[in-house]
Amino acid sequence: MITREAPTHLGTMRDRNLALVLGEIARHQPVTRARLAELTGLTKTTVAAQVGVLTRLQLVEGAGPVREGGRGRPGAPLSLASGPVAGLGLEVNGHYLAACVLDMNGVVRGRAHIARNSRDRPVGETLDALVRMARRVIEEAAEAGFTVMGTTVAVPGVVDRAAGTVNAPNIGWQAVTVEALLADSLPPQPIGVRVENEANLGALGELWYGAGRGSGSYVYVSGEAGIGAGLVVDGELFRGAHGAAGEIGHVVVDPSGPSCACGGRGCVEQVAGLDAVLRAAAIESVDAGGAGHLPDATAELLRRLETGDALAAAAVEAAGSGMAVALIAAVNLLDPDTVVLGGLHALLAPWMAPHIESALSRSGGRLRGSVPTIRAAALASESAVRGGAGTVVARVLADPMVVS
Amino acid sequence: MITREAPTHLGTMRDRNLALVLGEIARHQPVTRARLAELTGLTKTTVAAQVGVLTRLQLVEGAGPVREGGRGRPGAPLSLASGPVAGLGLEVNGHYLAACVLDMNGVVRGRAHIARNSRDRPVGETLDALVRMARRVIEEAAEAGFTVMGTTVAVPGVVDRAAGTVNAPNIGWQAVTVEALLADSLPPQPIGVRVENEANLGALGELWYGAGRGSGSYVYVSGEAGIGAGLVVDGELFRGAHGAAGEIGHVVVDPSGPSCACGGRGCVEQVAGLDAVLRAAAIESVDAGGAGHLPDATAELLRRLETGDALAAAAVEAAGSGMAVALIAAVNLLDPDTVVLGGLHALLAPWMAPHIESALSRSGGRLRGSVPTIRAAALASESAVRGGAGTVVARVLADPMVVS
């Protein structure tokens, strides 16, 4: 009978109170010191001391102008500062590189997007391009008055925390030490560089800033050439025993289907991944080894769907049916309230979602009172970078002293 | 950006310290007051005060005899008391009723098991039989010096917390207000009566006292006529958005398979549920409407498997292959380190597990380094009642004042 809670050491009480006050400011801003005392159960003196520290750390500001180093007007309501503290999200995707800088309020303070096929390019070249983009975005943010405190990198693969490596077969990466390589190449940051699966970060991006807002528990499906998922439970990322939860792409939807690169047969990726959908729609300009034209080919697919092309419609219906079988598994196992379709699949949602919804209603409808809502992601190709930058903001909220 | 942590109110600090000290005693017993001060970060005076309260609550005892109401010898190591505080677990299953009393250390202090077909009997009769059994077990425990502080009832269905009802189609229950009915019929208990899905409680029972010990994240599959699952993540139960997570029985393993009572097609329950396995093995003495002979029929199936009966072997192989497809979904989505086969499926594990293991190794083996271990449940038909009684013990550990 082991509980998870760590012992409350006296030495961390100050840090706990600091995070407690900052968290209540984030939740209730603008909020007075008196209200903060009520919300936290701390004395007004303790609240005032914490607000003083948070103001010096430039994490909190009073309404109206604040004197340099001052605590603002004592009666004025407090809010999260609109700068300079900021987080950076980066993404390496099969067909683009992206970056996004967020301030403590989640406002975008810088961004970049470079169309680039990384599926058949050497790892070193891709990382060099990523570093160049990141350095430029960090410099531009600095010129605008924002200091990047940490970086989270989204990758389309499985992160092995123990080994510090990333395996991303879809872009040809095997045991790449992304964190170490980027930490060496980017300017020093107090929170450092962290790498994370792109579907996990996309799930957080949509949870905090997009289509997942208001959901406690949801499944974010990231559809590109492959298919991954990020699972959010009670507002937090669900990682599994080895950090590999959410590999929905290899749920079997047809046990007698074709064999898959994973070693299994009939995985959902093979009927609902974009490579498969485009092939079924006979859109020839792209293939698994193609020149990074997945977005162009997807645009062509959307044009054909809009003009009522029968082959395109059949391809998307088959993909929707396959996706539904995988989502029936996810819904039965995980009981989410919402399913968000992200990545390039967000574009297909108007055609795919009805097939998925009707299959979900049929299956298990008599057991559960309600079927999860299916939504398209709201942040397009920025879901993962916003989630990445957001994790840096979340880290500062949880441990404000990291920026000191 | 909302964090889940509740504000630390000053008024609850004493309760927090009490739970903190009790938790460290549970983890490190036998343990001295001096070591408790190190473990908790509290002063020796505060630890001594908490130990005094916990001793008066009869939750903690020093080595050797303790004077009535005393604190024990100050230097003596402390342990969880071996009485009188106890929790009661009850279970309504399709073919039995069960009960189990556990003390704070998880030692069984009372039990009952009554073979009884509840699949076609009126709800009221079943609940009356359950209450009679529970009252008897509570009385016997009292005679042995144990006080039942709370009761958790395992049911083979979905618990709707908002409505306070249980739907359990396999035993014909619809919107049954189990908690309210039992609370009215059992002696008053400080922690009261709580109802919970049997697979969830089975998962906790095996986690705390059985085959799940040492697992951080695992899937407990409870196989009877139907199939359910309890999911444990980082040592805690995973319930989903509406408390309906773990419905692995309705994961689709054959999209063109027969239609299921849930409204879907080709659910794993239809190929790997015991009703289906017995039908495929042509064991005629049982059917879905049969007279509660599922354990007898399972015993017959086991006899045939042991003598190499080809039809029985083929039925179990088909069940294993179907179960494997559902578990591939669970493994890809949840990334557990262990899978425990419970209920009557624990008996079939020697024949089913090899089929499941080989399918899991093939599928996804190239993506993940390791395949989860497959184990049979260790507590047989007591997994759920032990988990149920254990949740009462866990509640006392988290909030010791409930027993005051």
Side-chain angles (χ1 to χ4, degrees):
Chain A
M1 182 85 48
I2 291 169
T3 64
R4 280 194 304 160
E5 195 183 336
T8 308
H9 290 290
L10 290 176
T12 65
M13 193 53 81
R14 193 188 102 152
D15 292 353
R16 285 178 50 87
N17 285 341
L18 208 57
L20 186 62
V21 171
L22 186 60
E24 295 299 331
I25 293 171
R27 253 187 295 272
H28 298 280
Q29 64 178 331
V31 57
T32 62
R33 288 161 178 78
R35 178 83 181 112
L36 282 173
E38 286 169 27
L39 288 165
T40 59
L42 300 172
T43 65
K44 287 183 186 175
T45 312
T46 305
V47 167
Q50 311 305 321
V51 168
V53 175
L54 293 170
T55 307
R56 279 195 294 282
L57 293 173
Q58 297 184 287
L59 293 172
V60 159
E61 58 195 18
V66 177
R67 281 161 295 136
E68 183 75 28
R71 296 185 184 187
R73 285 173 287 122
L78 300 156
S79 297
L80 291 180
S82 51
V85 172
L88 174 63
L90 299 176
E91 182 178 8
V92 179
N93 177 292
H95 50 90
Y96 65 81
L97 302 176
C100 176
V101 175
L102 293 183
D103 71 13
M104 287 297 291
N105 281 299
V107 177
V108 177
R109 299 299 190 168
R111 53 166 47 111
H113 186 102
I114 299 172
R116 181 183 190 280
N117 171 19
S118 299
R119 292 173 80 176
D120 305 296
R121 307 271 278 273
V123 179
E125 270 183 32
T126 298
L127 286 176
D128 283 348
L130 186 71
V131 166
R132 279 196 303 278
M133 182 187 67
R135 297 187 72 96
R136 181 168 58 76
V137 169
I138 291 170
E139 275 166 32
E140 287 167 3
E143 283 162 21
F146 294 92
T147 309
V148 168
M149 294 291 178
T151 299
T152 302
V153 190
V155 293
V158 176
V159 179
D160 183 334
R161 295 262 168 245
T165 56
V166 171
N167 287 328
N170 285 346
I171 54 171
W173 287 17
Q174 196 160 14
V176 179
T177 55
V178 182
E179 276 179 8
L181 291 167
L182 287 183
D184 285 346
S185 311
L186 295 179
Q189 300 163 40
I191 298 180
V193 177
R194 196 170 167 82
V195 67
E196 179 66 85
N197 173 268
E198 61 85 20
N200 282 353
L201 292 178
L204 291 176
E206 293 291 329
L207 173 72
W208 289 330
Y209 313 116
R213 274 185 289 191
S215 299
S217 297
Y218 84 105
V219 175
Y220 169 82
V221 178
S222 175
E224 303 278 339
I227 298 177
L231 314 176
V232 169
V233 176
D234 291 342
E236 295 198 353
L237 208 53
F238 177 90
R239 295 170 188 279
H242 319 91
E247 283 291 337
I248 199 172
H250 300 284
V251 169
V252 177
V253 299
D254 178 8
S256 55
S259 60
C260 174
C262 79
R265 299 187 79 84
C267 300
V268 66
E269 212 166 85
Q270 296 171 320
V271 294
L274 263 181
D275 279 350
V277 177
L278 292 168
R279 209 159 41 235
I283 295 178
E284 303 279 2
S285 67
V286 74
D287 61 62
H293 290 132
L294 209 53
D296 296 347
T298 305
E300 172 61 21
L301 176 63
L302 290 174
R303 271 190 297 277
R304 294 193 193 179
L305 287 168
E306 274 155 13
T307 58
D309 180 89
L311 204 56
V316 170
E317 179 172 350
S321 301
M323 187 72 96
V325 173
L327 285 173
I328 286 166
V331 167
N332 275 299
L333 288 166
L334 299 162
D335 183 25
D337 52 34
T338 310
V339 173
V340 174
L341 298 177
L344 290 169
H345 276 57
L347 304 172
L348 298 179
W351 290 273
M352 272 177 75
H355 300 298
I356 296 173
E357 271 168 354
S358 69
L360 277 177
S361 303
R362 277 195 307 278
S363 184
R366 281 176 221 157
L367 283 183
R368 29 191 97 235
S370 64
V371 167
T373 311
I374 315 282
R375 290 191 198 140
L379 304 175
S381 61
E382 276 200 345
S383 305
V385 284
R386 293 249 216 141
T391 60
V392 177
V393 173
R395 178 71 201 288
V396 176
L397 284 171
D399 187 9
M401 290 304 290
V402 290
V403 305
S404 66
Chain B
M1 180 85 52
I2 292 169
T3 63
R4 279 194 305 160
E5 195 183 334
T8 307
H9 290 288
L10 290 176
T12 65
M13 191 56 80
R14 192 188 103 151
D15 292 352
R16 285 178 49 86
N17 285 342
L18 208 57
L20 186 62
V21 170
L22 186 59
E24 294 299 333
I25 292 171
R27 253 187 296 271
H28 299 280
Q29 64 178 332
V31 56
T32 62
R33 288 162 178 77
R35 178 82 181 113
L36 281 173
E38 286 168 27
L39 288 166
T40 59
L42 300 172
T43 64
K44 287 183 185 175
T45 312
T46 305
V47 167
Q50 312 306 320
V51 168
V53 175
L54 293 170
T55 306
R56 278 194 295 280
L57 293 173
Q58 297 184 286
L59 293 172
V60 160
E61 58 195 18
V66 177
R67 281 162 295 135
E68 182 74 27
R71 297 187 183 186
R73 286 174 287 121
L78 300 157
S79 296
L80 291 180
S82 52
V85 173
L88 173 64
L90 299 175
E91 181 177 10
V92 179
N93 178 292
H95 50 90
Y96 64 80
L97 302 176
C100 176
V101 176
L102 292 183
D103 71 13
M104 287 297 290
N105 281 299
V107 177
V108 177
R109 299 298 190 168
R111 55 165 47 113
H113 185 100
I114 300 172
R116 181 185 191 279
N117 172 19
S118 299
R119 291 173 83 176
D120 304 296
R121 305 274 277 275
V123 178
E125 270 183 32
T126 299
L127 287 175
D128 284 348
L130 186 71
V131 165
R132 279 194 303 276
M133 181 186 68
R135 296 187 73 96
R136 181 169 56 79
V137 169
I138 291 170
E139 276 165 32
E140 287 168 1
E143 283 162 20
F146 294 92
T147 309
V148 168
M149 294 290 178
T151 299
T152 302
V153 190
V155 293
V158 176
V159 179
D160 184 335
R161 293 263 169 246
T165 57
V166 170
N167 288 328
N170 285 345
I171 54 170
W173 287 16
Q174 196 159 13
V176 179
T177 56
V178 182
E179 275 178 8
L181 291 168
L182 287 183
D184 285 346
S185 311
L186 294 179
Q189 301 163 39
I191 297 179
V193 176
R194 195 170 167 83
V195 66
E196 177 67 86
N197 174 268
E198 60 84 21
N200 282 354
L201 292 178
L204 290 177
E206 292 291 330
L207 172 72
W208 289 332
Y209 314 114
R213 275 184 290 192
S215 300
S217 299
Y218 84 104
V219 176
Y220 169 83
V221 178
S222 175
E224 303 279 340
I227 298 176
L231 315 176
V232 169
V233 176
D234 290 342
E236 297 199 352
L237 208 53
F238 177 91
R239 295 171 189 278
H242 318 92
E247 283 292 335
I248 198 171
H250 300 283
V251 169
V252 177
V253 300
D254 178 6
S256 55
S259 60
C260 175
C262 79
R265 299 187 79 85
C267 300
V268 66
E269 212 165 85
Q270 297 171 320
V271 296
L274 263 182
D275 279 349
V277 176
L278 292 168
R279 210 159 41 234
I283 294 177
E284 303 279 2
S285 67
V286 76
D287 62 62
H293 290 132
L294 209 53
D296 296 346
T298 305
E300 173 61 23
L301 176 63
L302 291 174
R303 270 191 297 276
R304 295 194 192 177
L305 287 168
E306 274 156 14
T307 58
D309 180 89
L311 204 56
V316 170
E317 179 171 352
S321 301
M323 188 71 97
V325 172
L327 285 173
I328 287 166
V331 168
N332 275 298
L333 287 166
L334 299 162
D335 183 25
D337 52 34
T338 310
V339 174
V340 174
L341 298 177
L344 290 169
H345 276 58
L347 303 172
L348 299 179
W351 290 273
M352 273 178 73
H355 299 299
I356 296 172
E357 272 168 353
S358 69
L360 278 176
S361 303
R362 278 196 305 278
S363 184
R366 282 176 221 156
L367 282 183
R368 30 191 95 234
S370 64
V371 167
T373 310
I374 314 282
R375 289 191 199 140
L379 305 175
S381 62
E382 276 200 346
S383 305
V385 284
R386 293 248 218 141
T391 61
V392 177
V393 173
R395 177 72 202 289
V396 176
L397 283 172
D399 186 8
M401 291 304 289
V402 291
V403 304
S404 68

